[in-house]
């Protein structure tokens, strides 16, 4: 799954053990974060490797995950993988059936 810029920066900060609240290293921290942003757009987010359709799919998968996290915690990985493979929201089709069975 493709990381958002925030996730990428967070991952790099953890990897480099960057402490942004260490104000003695303020200039070095700013330099490191700027480097992360440059790497994200120039290396990680390679336009040749990720076409527009892939980016749209990843963004939709992230939205699905946020919406279904609490409703389908055990099945969310399957639902997201299904969406990426078939470009359809399986949870939207199943939700009426699940809700109907809960009532009856």
């Amino acid at each position: 799954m493709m990381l958002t810029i925030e996730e990428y920066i967070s991952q790099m900060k953890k990897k480099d053990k960057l402490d942004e609240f260490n104000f003695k290293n303020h200039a070095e921290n700013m330099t490191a974060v700027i480097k992360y942003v440059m790497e994200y757009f120039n290396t990680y987010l390679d336009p040749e490797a990720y076409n527009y359709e892939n980016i749209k799919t990843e963004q939709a998968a992230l939205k699905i995950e946020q919406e279904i996290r609490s409703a389908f915690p055990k099945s969310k990985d399957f639902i997201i993988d299904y969406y990426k493979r078939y470009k359809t929201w399986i949870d939207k089709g199943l939700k009426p059936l699940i809700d109907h069975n809960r009532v009856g």
Side-chain angles (χ1 to χ4, degrees):
M1 187 165 142
M2 193 170 65
L3 301 173
T4 65
I5 190 165
E6 293 87 358
E7 293 166 335
Y8 183 83
I9 291 171
S10 178
Q11 184 179 60
M12 295 304 293
K13 284 180 1 186
K14 287 177 188 172
K15 180 181 147 237
D16 293 343
K17 297 180 175 126
L18 186 136
D19 177 11
E20 69 241 52
F21 298 108
N22 181 346
F23 297 110
K24 292 179 184 176
N25 295 336
H26 182 74
E28 293 87 1
N29 291 344
M30 279 189 1
T31 301
V33 172
I34 290 169
K35 183 180 117 196
Y36 301 153
V37 172
M38 300 279 290
E39 287 174 358
Y40 180 82
F41 286 106
N42 293 329
T43 306
Y44 180 77
L45 195 63
D46 180 8
E48 293 176 12
Y50 291 99
N51 66 27
Y52 180 70
E53 287 303 315
N54 288 346
I55 292 170
K56 273 183 22 182
T57 300
E58 290 295 332
Q59 289 174 339
L62 185 61
K63 181 181 176 186
I64 293 169
E65 182 178 1
Q66 291 170 347
E67 288 183 15
I68 66 171
R69 187 176 295 141
S70 60
F72 304 107
K74 293 180 181 176
S75 305
K76 80 175 171 57
D77 291 337
F78 171 78
I79 293 169
I80 292 167
D81 289 341
Y82 186 92
Y83 175 79
K84 287 180 180 181
R85 188 172 303 147
Y86 301 107
K87 309 294 185 274
T88 186
W89 292 41
I90 191 172
D91 61 302
K92 298 280 186 192
L94 294 176
K95 190 163 181 9
L97 295 172
I98 292 168
D99 291 343
H100 176 73
N101 288 332
R102 286 184 187 162
V103 174

